[in-house]
């Protein structure tokens, strides 16, 4: 069967013209006909989006074109932007785990484009990656009889023809099957359950949280590490030389003790924070006499800190 006959048979082509679903799936430039048929992926440095001179967006990429291609390209960028975390296992050994289960965020992306309301103009599907969470927003409310309370058990597709094609590419499952597995995958990784909401009655938002405060490495208490004599713990956390430490500061000291040195880039990667925050944290620890700075200037790419 040639392409045109196939499109007619699947009801993507009528009287020589592509239907809306046909445009979304197969047109080279769907935005010519449906201006909101695109996906935007943003990486934000920090936990809140700022504007103006304090704008903290470090990556902003727009994707348009045939839907399968959009999903593949947007998914590849998201995967590249996500981090790995080091956590302590039950044997008090570090192990590497992903920031989020791949199934959870990819299913969220696919559901956002497969079940969104394409009749709404002026809005688009977007993915925002913060230091502590990933948000996926899809225009339109939940379809038909699906609600926030029953979405794990209720099956309904707003755009069944689009879903059918994405299923053929093994990208999508029926709404409730994929959502149920998202909860399972997040739980298996020890992460909070996915959060679905309809914040303004016009969009559906999915939030995945990486539980960053619990997953960063930490410095053991004084009674667990003999060479840390003089330090103690209380209900606020680890206190070194009478100075309380935040989880990120504890991570910085832990890296310095483990590797012999710590840099802004390494701290940012392991603590899951932005480079600016990592730089300020290390400088503050040096000012407090807990780390020693090494470098020729503040622009020295080889600058680092060592533990005292």
């Amino acid at each position: 069967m040639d392409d045109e006959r196939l499109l007619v048979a699947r009801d993507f082509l009528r009287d020589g013209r592509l239907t809306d679903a046909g445009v979304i799936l197969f047109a080279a430039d769907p935005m010519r006909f449906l201006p909101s048929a695109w996906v935007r992926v943003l990486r934000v440095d920090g936990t809140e989006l700022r504007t103006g001179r304090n704008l903290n967006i470090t990556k902003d990429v727009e994707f348009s074109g045939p839907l399968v291609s959009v999903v593949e390209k947007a998914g590849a960028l998201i995967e590249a932007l996500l981090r790995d975390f080091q956590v302590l296992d039950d044997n008090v050994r570090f192990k590497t785990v992903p920031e989020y289960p791949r199934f959870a965020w990819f299913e969220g992306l696919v559901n956002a484009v497969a079940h969104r309301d394409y009749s709404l103009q002026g809005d688009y599907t977007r993915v925002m990656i913060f230091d502590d969470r990933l948000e996926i927003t899809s225009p339109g409310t939940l379809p038909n009889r699906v609600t926030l309370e029953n979405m794990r058990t209720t099956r309904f597709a707003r755009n069944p023809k689009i879903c059918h094609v994405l299923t053929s590419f093994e990208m999508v499952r029926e709404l409730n099957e994929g959502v149920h597995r998202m909860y399972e995958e997040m739980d298996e990784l020890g992460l909070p359950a996915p959060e679905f909401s309809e914040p303004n009655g016009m969009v559906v938002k999915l939030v995945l949280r990486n539980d960053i405060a619990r997953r960063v490495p930490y410095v053991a208490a004084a009674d667990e590490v003999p060479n840390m004599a003089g330090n103690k713990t209380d209900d606020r956390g680890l206190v070194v030389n009478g100075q309380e430490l935040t989880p990120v500061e504890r991570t910085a000291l832990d890296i310095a003790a483990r590797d012999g040195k710590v840099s802004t880039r390494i701290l940012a990667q392991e603590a899951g924070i932005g480079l600016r925050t990592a730089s300020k944290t290390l400088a503050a620890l040096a000012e407090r006499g807990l780390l020693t700075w090494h470098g020729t200037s503040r622009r020295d790419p080889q600058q680092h800190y060592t533990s005292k």
Side-chain angles (χ1 to χ4, degrees):
M1 184 180 294
D2 60 45
D3 293 346
E4 185 170 339
R5 289 179 59 198
L6 178 59
L7 291 173
V8 170
R10 293 292 182 89
D11 199 28
F12 292 122
L13 188 68
R14 299 175 189 167
D15 301 324
R17 295 178 178 271
L18 288 171
T19 63
D20 283 352
V23 167
I24 293 165
L25 288 164
F26 305 115
D29 185 10
M31 291 180 63
R32 287 180 56 194
F33 310 96
L34 297 168
S36 62
W38 57 290
V39 173
R40 185 180 182 186
V41 178
L42 304 100
R43 179 70 172 91
V44 179
D45 183 16
T47 58
E48 298 298 332
L49 179 63
R50 298 191 294 270
T51 58
R53 292 184 178 181
N54 297 318
L55 185 66
N56 56 337
I57 295 176
T58 60
K59 197 77 172 180
D60 187 352
V61 183
E62 300 172 1
F63 298 92
S64 62
L67 189 57
V68 171
S69 176
V70 166
V71 172
E72 289 177 340
K73 293 177 180 178
L77 176 61
I78 294 170
E79 191 161 29
L81 292 175
L82 294 180
R83 304 158 294 182
D84 288 331
F85 280 76
Q86 283 195 330
V87 299
L88 290 173
D89 60 20
D90 294 337
N91 297 318
V92 197
R93 294 181 178 178
F94 285 109
K95 67 176 181 179
T96 301
V97 297
E99 187 166 0
Y100 309 97
R102 187 183 190 281
F103 180 89
W105 63 260
F106 189 76
E107 183 73 7
L109 170 65
V110 174
N111 279 346
V113 298
H115 300 291
R116 63 156 290 184
D117 188 346
Y118 283 96
S119 68
L120 295 177
Q121 300 300 310
D123 201 359
Y124 51 86
T125 303
R126 59 186 170 275
V127 181
M128 301 188 69
I129 304 172
F130 295 87
D131 285 353
D132 62 344
R133 68 193 184 280
L134 182 151
E135 296 182 357
I136 301 176
T137 305
S138 176
T141 58
L142 290 168
N144 198 277
R145 59 180 180 270
V146 179
T147 67
L148 295 174
E149 291 73 27
N150 69 12
M151 62 190 310
R152 294 182 67 174
T153 57
T154 302
R155 177 180 303 179
F156 187 87
R158 172 181 278 122
N159 307 303
K161 295 175 183 177
I162 292 176
C163 290
H164 182 74
V165 171
L166 294 180
T167 300
S168 299
F169 282 87
E170 299 182 347
M171 287 185 170
V172 73
R173 292 164 177 79
E174 295 296 338
L175 182 60
N176 66 305
E177 295 176 4
V179 170
H180 183 71
R181 184 174 165 188
M182 288 170 62
Y183 279 83
E184 291 182 336
E185 296 261 342
M186 291 289 285
D187 183 64
E188 288 178 5
L189 209 56
L191 296 175
E195 301 171 16
F196 287 92
S197 64
E198 295 177 290
N200 58 8
M202 296 295 291
V203 299
V204 176
K205 177 185 283 188
L206 165 65
V207 178
L208 302 178
R209 300 190 183 276
N210 58 30
D211 203 11
I212 186 173
R214 187 182 64 81
R215 300 175 82 189
V216 297
Y218 64 87
V219 179
D223 58 352
E224 296 175 312
V225 182
N227 64 4
M228 292 182 67
N231 301 330
K232 63 186 181 68
T233 59
D234 59 15
D235 58 356
R236 298 170 300 174
L238 184 68
V239 177
V240 177
N241 297 336
Q243 304 180 63
E244 181 185 354
L245 300 179
T246 67
V248 174
E249 290 172 335
R250 288 154 53 188
T251 300
L253 295 182
D254 182 72
I255 297 170
R258 184 192 69 200
D259 300 341
K261 64 180 180 179
V262 57
S263 66
T264 298
R265 181 179 61 82
I266 294 300
L267 177 59
Q269 289 177 350
E270 296 205 14
I273 58 177
L275 291 172
R276 182 179 300 177
T277 302
S279 178
K280 290 182 177 180
T281 299
L282 294 175
L285 288 172
E287 289 179 2
R288 293 160 64 181
L290 299 177
L291 290 176
T292 300
W293 177 77
H294 302 271
T296 58
S297 71
R298 289 300 176 182
R299 295 181 179 275
D300 182 2
Q302 303 300 319
Q303 64 179 298
H304 61 274
Y305 296 78
T306 58
S307 174
K308 288 188 176 181

